[in-house]
Amino acid sequence: MHRAKYQLIKDELLEEINSGLFKPGQKFYSESELKSRYGVSTATILRAIQELVNEEYIVRYQGKGSFVSKAKRNERIIFSETDNQLVGIQSIKMVSCTLENETEILDKLKIQQDGQYYKIVRARYNNKKPFAIQVSHICSSYIKDESLLKSGSYQSLYELLRDSNNLDMYSMPFTQTIDITKVIPQQFSDYLQLAEDTPVVLMRRLTLNNDKEVIEYVETYKTIDAFHIEIRNT
């Protein structure tokens, strides 16, 4: 299959970046250098560079030129999020469990508009003091026995999903974002005993099965003093 010239140029430049020819933060080739090297138009060079920018291999600064990104690439990264300095007795309490059909969540779960999902709200405690509210939205098709969910027979939702669906949720693909926000539902703010306008950590997680179908969407509100992340490369 014929590939466009800019794609061939982009692939060759990417190979040079990945080979270690450039150090992170080092200035990259100029447009004129690349035009002379490849004998193509400015538009073709700009398209190739923009592809590298879009994929975050290159950063461009107006009036200064292009630089190799400092982002870590082609390395295995271990990211862990923990409950920082919580050394007391931890526990979880079910706050509510309801069948719902809000359009926004249905869209995230990729459920038809006449479908339903379980909204499970749980509070996490350290020495009987709440430090996090976790709101899990799970496609109703994954909950085969509602009584097990509501009775508290399972301390962990993931254990329930493992036993009822043979799903190892810890190994499933997911995407997660982490933000600091002051926007928190009032009932959760009250539950966490927060003063007005107190910032919290908001983590949003979308978990898929191996067929790329959505299993759950989770929003977790956590007090900042209970949040800690560690990033290591191997």
Side-chain angles (χ1 to χ4, degrees):
M1 181 179 178
H2 177 72
R3 302 189 69 215
K5 185 66 176 177
Y6 81 86
Q7 292 176 318
L8 297 174
I9 295 172
K10 174 246 181 177
D11 289 345
E12 186 172 317
L13 295 175
L14 180 57
E15 186 175 342
E16 291 187 5
I17 293 172
N18 286 333
S19 73
L21 181 62
F22 293 88
K23 295 180 180 180
Q26 184 176 348
K27 191 168 184 178
F28 197 55
Y29 300 114
S30 68
E31 293 173 18
S32 59
E33 287 174 329
L34 292 174
K35 279 179 62 180
S36 176
R37 172 176 170 178
Y38 290 105
V40 296
S41 67
T42 300
T44 298
I45 292 300
L46 289 176
R47 181 74 181 273
I49 292 176
Q50 189 59 48
E51 290 281 312
L52 294 172
V53 171
N54 292 343
E55 295 179 19
E56 300 181 1
Y57 287 97
I58 295 295
V59 179
R60 303 194 74 189
Y61 297 102
Q62 187 174 5
K64 295 183 178 180
S66 301
F67 296 80
V68 176
S69 172
K70 295 180 181 179
K72 299 270 185 197
R73 291 194 174 273
N74 299 322
E75 294 185 17
R76 185 181 177 190
I77 301 296
I78 297 176
F79 176 97
S80 60
E81 183 271 318
T82 61
D83 304 324
N84 186 31
Q85 298 181 348
L86 297 183
V87 295
I89 299 174
Q90 296 192 28
S91 59
I92 300 176
K93 177 184 176 182
M94 176 84 76
V95 176
S96 63
C97 176
T98 53
L99 266 174
E100 302 201 2
N101 63 345
E102 292 183 13
T103 299
E104 181 181 357
I105 303 300
L106 290 172
D107 288 343
K108 289 183 181 296
L109 295 174
K110 308 223 179 280
I111 299 175
Q112 294 182 351
Q113 294 303 306
D114 59 349
Q116 290 183 306
Y117 58 87
Y118 281 97
K119 179 179 179 180
I120 304 140
V121 181
R122 293 174 300 163
R124 298 177 61 188
Y125 294 80
N126 183 65
N127 283 341
K128 298 183 178 181
K129 180 180 179 180
F131 67 88
I133 294 289
Q134 183 169 310
V135 187
S136 301
H137 309 86
I138 299 178
C139 301
S140 58
S141 59
Y142 286 101
I143 306 298
K144 302 183 185 302
D145 188 344
E146 183 178 324
S147 64
L148 291 176
L149 181 61
K150 294 187 174 182
S151 67
S153 302
Y154 283 85
Q155 185 77 355
S156 167
L157 287 177
Y158 283 6
E159 289 180 9
L160 173 58
L161 291 172
R162 179 198 63 200
D163 291 350
S164 60
N165 296 274
N166 196 30
L167 288 172
D168 180 4
M169 294 292 287
Y170 295 104
S171 67
M172 292 298 171
F174 69 91
T175 58
Q176 179 167 300
T177 62
I178 301 174
D179 297 287
I180 303 297
T181 182
K182 292 182 179 180
V183 181
I184 175 173
Q186 187 62 50
Q187 66 268 34
F188 298 162
S189 179
D190 292 343
Y191 213 102
L192 294 173
Q193 304 168 19
L194 300 176
E196 187 176 356
D197 289 333
T198 299
V200 296
V201 177
L202 172 58
M203 295 177 284
R204 301 182 180 94
R205 178 184 175 113
L206 197 69
T207 306
L208 314 175
N209 63 21
N210 290 324
D211 294 323
K212 306 302 182 184
E213 298 170 335
V214 181
I215 301 174
E216 67 165 357
Y217 169 65
V218 181
E219 292 181 348
T220 301
Y221 298 87
K222 179 180 282 191
T223 58
I224 288 179
D225 59 352
F227 180 71
H228 176 73
I229 61 172
E230 179 180 327
I231 300 175
R232 294 180 287 117
N233 69 329
T234 59

